[in-house]
Amino acid sequence: MDLYRENVFSVLFIPFLMIPNIRWDETHFGKMGSYYINRTFFFDVHPPLGKMLIGLAGYLSGYNGTFPFQKPGDRYGHHNYIGMRGFCAFLGSCLVPFAYLIVLELSKSLSAALLAASILIFDTGCITLSQYILLDPILMFFLMGAVLSMVKYNSCAVRPFSAPWWFWLSLTGVNLAGAIGVKFVGLFVVLLVGLNTVYDLWELLGDLSLSLVTLGKHLLARVFCLILLPLVLYTAQFAVHFAVLNKSGPGDGFFSSAFQSRLIGNNLHNVSVPEHLAYGSVITMKNLRMAGGYLHSHWHLYPEGVGARQQQVTAYLHKDLNNLWVIKKHDSNTDHLDPSCSVEFVRHGDVIRLEHKETSRNLHSHQHEAPMTRKHFQVTGYGINGTGDANDFWRIEVVGRKSGKRIKVLRSQIRLTHLATGCILGSSGKTLPKWGWEQVEVTCTPYVKETPNALWNVEDHINPKLPNISLDVLKPSFPEILLESHMVMIRGNSGLKPKENEVTSKPWHWPINYQGLRFSGVNETDYRVYLLGNPVVWWLNLVTIGLYLLMATCTIVAIKRGAQLTVEFKELSEVLLHSGGKIMLGWLLHYLPFFMMGRVLYFHHYFPAMLFSSMLTGITWDTLLKFCAGCLSCSMGKRVYTYGMLALMLLIVYSFYLFHPLSYGMVGPMASDPNSPMAGLRWLESWEF
């Protein structure tokens, strides 16, 4: 216990005193904590709870939200970062008692619980992740909290509907909301709890002593505590998120124009514009893909050899006069702003022409190939003073509207179909070369798909003949912005790309501890921190997974064959199959899904699964040694069990002694240098410390 307290103290205080610099993804999550303190809107691919808690910890500890968090290695100086790191470190240190209590509840063995807890205490990877301003310790805290609550309410099954039963069941729901609210991978623990609940209800269904009314109460209790309660809490997190972040910031451009109109300081906030589109109106059109930009043109032509040598049309991420277009009838060049002309509204299904205001050239497409995207058509500006040809005609359609309906500013999602070729105007998201001013490519795609790339909305709208309305009337409701934020997060997650010089990995690398992540330091004078699991611990966990499967298979076969087991062996078999099975299922659910993911993956994604493999190690070795002890005489069996557990503990502690500089900072020559104190510990060539 003294050793445990010493390590918790180290996790909580040593990094703050020795390494006062930004480490790894602190650039992201520390900065996001600052955004909450300053109430500045930003975008992240993860739900908001983790960043909100980091911001709250910083605020309560005296951090004023002014540190820029520009790049790893920058010194914090006088800025108070300790509260945010301390908060994450505290939650990370809670994983140890959580693992202890979970294994103790499942196995009823103090030794198994101590072994599982020791693995987490002395794992260099868990310590490293817990030292800094990151989402991982927060996620793992809620994940382990959910598992602990689940096994606790399972243990109260003999007293259903008692106060402890309701407490643990409700706390499971709270922790599930917390896990999903930090990262979407929290859904894996939701699935674990869901499968456990289905199994419980199936067992209750087979209990003929229970009435249907009682079964209904059990079902409703779980629906309320494990479905409705987490949903309410999860939704409340976003309500707080949107209420706090009410000022315009770097996240605006990822969201729709209607969403941006909510934000104080955004150019759309408290603006008055005409509500419905009319011929003669001057408009800007924003693409609905994430960071899609405004439909834009300029005097520059496409270079020789890039389609037709006509005026470039691009998507531009910033406000600009070259984003302005005049909407006109396809077969008329009448000035609809003339006082003698009556107002005529643009309607769903109309064939229109868009004339670029600055250059008087029409939005045009033809069957020349787009500059960057193969099999897409080039989009250009064509004609003189609005006079062009039939390739300038577009049918304007509103998603989900009937023919003849008016088109609303901000709210209507517009699709422009090229009349001559049938292709659809869209933004590919690809950046053009320098001849295109590194703006975003606009193409006309012949592949008709209902994607944000091919959808637009009208943002700015100028028409002196129409009455203005406040955009407050068009602001989206909370359910709409909740849905939009999730769509943007999902698209952002699927589109994640590795940063320059960043070490990505594959799921098969993780259990074998194949390669770590450099958190900080590149030379001999830096405190170099390297995220790598304690090799002995991780390889022991990996061997244990195979050992567990072998033991479980043998036990199932023995029971199936009718082997006569003693009472003690029956209890051990129950622990191995039932309790160990739950933990094994948790490992599988938190590991296997990554093989099916298309997004970029990193080593730290394995740590939730590592928690389960560590608990499985405690249960499996405790059960194995007890099986062995049961086959020997009483005195010999006790010695085998005691010495076996002691040997495992000492091996874990000694390996931590060898590798602890990975977590607390290495100085001097790199491990590739024979004179480095870490040289003999570089057991794999892929380790880069």
Side-chain angles (χ1 to χ4, degrees):
M1 187 57 70
D2 290 339
L3 193 54
Y4 166 71
R5 281 198 292 267
E6 181 180 335
N7 275 278
V8 171
F9 179 84
S10 297
V11 169
L12 288 172
F13 295 107
I14 286 180
F16 309 151
L17 299 176
M18 294 179 63
I19 313 180
N21 305 76
I22 301 177
R23 296 295 177 238
W24 196 50
D25 272 357
E26 286 189 320
T27 52
H28 299 304
F29 304 120
K31 185 183 295 182
M32 291 169 188
S34 298
Y35 285 144
Y36 277 107
I37 292 171
N38 297 313
R39 308 194 67 177
T40 303
F41 188 76
F42 68 94
F43 165 70
D44 185 42
V45 297
H46 305 299
L49 180 61
K51 285 94 63 179
M52 280 198 292
L53 292 175
I54 288 170
L56 179 63
Y59 176 76
L60 294 177
S61 61
Y63 171 59
N64 59 11
T66 58
F67 186 68
F69 286 97
Q70 290 182 339
K71 64 182 185 300
D74 288 352
R75 294 187 67 85
Y76 283 105
H78 66 278
H79 294 276
N80 189 351
Y81 63 96
I82 293 179
M84 292 182 285
R85 279 191 179 175
F87 171 71
C88 293
F90 171 74
L91 296 189
S93 67
C94 288
L95 301 178
V96 175
F98 281 177
Y100 174 87
L101 293 171
I102 291 168
V103 174
L104 184 64
E105 189 66 49
L106 289 173
S107 67
K108 307 302 180 186
S109 169
L110 181 63
S111 299
L114 284 172
L115 179 59
S118 298
I119 288 173
L120 296 186
I121 289 175
F122 297 109
D123 179 58
T124 52
C126 286
I127 292 173
T128 303
L129 272 185
S130 298
Q131 290 181 153
Y132 303 114
I133 306 169
L134 303 172
L135 295 186
D136 300 270
I138 307 175
L139 169 68
M140 293 190 289
F141 172 84
F142 284 113
L143 184 156
M144 292 290 277
V147 176
L148 175 61
S149 303
M150 179 187 76
V151 299
K152 283 289 189 182
Y153 91 74
N154 283 343
S155 70
C156 295
V158 293
R159 294 174 295 144
F161 308 112
S162 62
W165 186 88
W166 278 111
F167 173 78
W168 290 113
L169 187 63
S170 302
L171 192 59
T172 304
V174 171
N175 281 304
L176 291 180
I180 311 172
V182 177
K183 284 188 177 184
F184 283 129
V185 294
L187 287 168
F188 300 151
V189 76
V190 173
L191 185 56
L192 175 64
V193 172
L195 292 173
N196 176 77
T197 303
V198 169
Y199 176 80
D200 281 349
L201 291 174
W202 183 253
E203 290 293 302
L204 290 171
L205 187 63
D207 187 350
L208 299 181
S209 66
L210 297 178
S211 66
L212 290 178
V213 173
T214 304
L215 286 173
K217 289 179 180 179
H218 275 283
L219 177 62
L220 288 175
R222 286 159 175 81
V223 168
F224 176 79
C225 293
L226 301 180
I227 298 177
L228 296 181
L229 179 61
L231 280 176
V232 168
L233 293 176
Y234 180 74
T235 305
Q237 295 167 22
F238 279 89
V240 174
H241 171 72
F242 294 131
V244 172
L245 302 183
N246 63 352
K247 296 179 183 178
S248 178
D252 294 16
F254 292 92
F255 290 80
S256 67
S257 305
F259 186 100
Q260 293 180 42
S261 68
R262 304 171 48 257
L263 302 172
I264 299 169
N266 189 281
N267 64 298
L268 296 174
H269 185 67
N270 286 338
V271 172
S272 295
V273 296
E275 181 178 9
H276 295 104
L277 210 59
Y279 288 103
S281 293
V282 179
I283 63 172
T284 61
M285 292 177 56
K286 189 174 187 296
N287 189 254
L288 296 190
R289 76 180 303 277
M290 190 171 66
Y294 298 93
L295 186 65
H296 176 96
S297 188
H298 40 236
W299 287 102
H300 302 278
L301 307 181
Y302 286 100
E304 197 72 44
V306 181
R309 191 163 166 75
Q310 297 173 6
Q311 186 168 294
Q312 296 176 17
V313 172
T314 65
Y316 189 48
L317 299 179
H318 306 284
K319 292 283 188 178
D320 190 278
L321 290 176
N322 281 323
N323 300 340
L324 297 174
W325 300 81
V326 183
I327 188 165
K328 294 191 172 184
K329 288 194 167 184
H330 73 288
D331 55 358
S332 168
N333 210 19
T334 305
D335 182 8
H336 285 83
L337 296 183
D338 191 305
S340 61
C341 287
S342 60
V343 173
E344 190 172 350
F345 290 104
V346 182
R347 298 178 184 273
H348 171 87
D350 283 3
V351 177
I352 64 166
R353 179 165 52 84
L354 283 175
E355 182 181 308
H356 189 240
K357 190 172 190 310
E358 288 295 304
T359 63
S360 297
R361 287 183 171 147
N362 297 326
L363 185 69
H364 177 99
S365 188
H366 43 223
Q367 293 190 353
H368 291 274
E369 192 169 74
M372 305 287 291
T373 307
R374 295 184 60 194
K375 299 184 180 180
H376 284 211
F377 298 147
Q378 183 187 33
V379 177
T380 69
Y382 179 75
I384 300 173
N385 293 325
T387 302
D389 60 24
N391 282 327
D392 303 339
F393 303 157
W394 303 81
R395 178 179 289 107
I396 187 168
E397 299 167 321
V398 181
V399 176
R401 299 292 292 275
K402 293 182 179 178
S403 182
K405 293 292 184 181
R406 294 181 185 181
I407 297 170
K408 279 188 175 183
V409 175
L410 294 188
R411 301 307 297 271
S412 294
Q413 296 184 358
I414 297 169
R415 180 174 51 236
L416 288 176
T417 304
H418 191 240
L419 210 60
T421 63
C423 63
I424 296 175
L425 184 74
S427 168
S428 69
K430 297 178 180 177
T431 303
L432 293 167
K434 288 186 178 180
W435 57 254
W437 305 94
E438 298 181 341
Q439 295 173 11
V440 180
E441 180 191 39
V442 168
T443 70
C444 199
T445 171
Y447 310 106
V448 181
K449 292 181 180 178
E450 201 72 30
T451 65
N453 298 47
L455 297 177
W456 306 77
N457 70 265
V458 175
E459 187 169 291
D460 297 294
H461 183 206
I462 304 166
N463 193 320
K465 298 177 71 174
L466 294 175
N468 290 345
I469 64 163
S470 171
L471 288 185
D472 283 346
V473 178
L474 301 178
K475 283 182 181 178
S477 63
F478 175 71
E480 288 174 316
I481 62 177
L482 183 65
L483 177 61
E484 180 179 350
S485 65
H486 279 77
M487 295 301 294
V488 172
M489 284 190 291
I490 291 169
R491 291 200 298 268
N493 253 305
S494 61
L496 280 177
K497 298 290 188 294
K499 298 186 281 289
E500 188 177 356
N501 299 322
E502 195 168 44
V503 179
T504 61
S505 60
K506 297 178 181 178
W508 68 267
H509 291 169
W510 303 339
I512 62 176
N513 218 19
Y514 178 76
Q515 189 176 32
L517 275 171
R518 187 180 291 115
F519 263 41
S520 65
V522 294
N523 57 52
E524 297 184 8
T525 60
D526 289 336
Y527 272 104
R528 301 188 303 276
V529 176
Y530 189 72
L531 177 65
L532 187 75
N534 183 331
V536 172
V537 164
W538 283 53
W539 294 338
L540 176 65
N541 285 349
L542 183 61
V543 169
T544 301
I545 290 170
L547 179 63
Y548 172 81
L549 293 174
L550 178 63
M551 290 173 60
T553 302
C554 292
T555 303
I556 291 170
V557 170
I559 293 173
K560 192 70 175 176
R561 294 292 297 171
Q564 297 300 313
L565 302 177
T566 64
V567 174
E568 183 182 3
F569 275 28
K570 284 182 180 178
E571 290 177 354
L572 289 174
S573 299
E574 177 70 15
V575 169
L576 184 71
L577 297 178
H578 185 71
S579 301
K582 283 184 180 179
I583 300 300
M584 184 68 187
L585 178 62
W587 180 79
L588 291 171
L589 290 175
H590 285 81
Y591 178 50
L592 294 185
F594 287 103
F595 285 93
M596 296 176 279
M597 291 187 185
R599 56 155 288 173
V600 61
L601 296 172
Y602 302 99
F603 176 51
H604 70 100
H605 286 137
Y606 182 68
F607 277 82
M610 181 266 177
L611 298 176
F612 287 96
S613 64
S614 299
M615 291 187 288
L616 185 66
T617 296
I619 291 174
T620 302
W621 282 96
D622 178 73
T623 306
L624 176 62
L625 291 172
K626 284 180 177 175
F627 269 129
C628 293
C631 297
L632 302 171
S633 64
C634 183
S635 59
M636 179 63 73
K638 284 183 179 180
R639 283 199 295 271
V640 167
Y641 179 80
T642 303
Y643 292 152
M645 294 299 288
L646 186 60
L648 288 171
M649 293 278 196
L650 291 175
L651 185 63
I652 291 167
V653 173
Y654 181 66
S655 63
F656 172 75
Y657 167 74
L658 293 176
F659 287 96
H660 76 274
L662 296 175
S663 297
Y664 296 126
M666 298 167 283
V667 291
M670 306 293 271
S672 55
D673 187 328
N675 296 320
S676 170
M678 301 296 292
L681 297 175
R682 193 163 176 253
W683 296 346
L684 295 180
E685 286 295 321
S686 52
W687 295 351
E688 299 175 322
F689 55 79

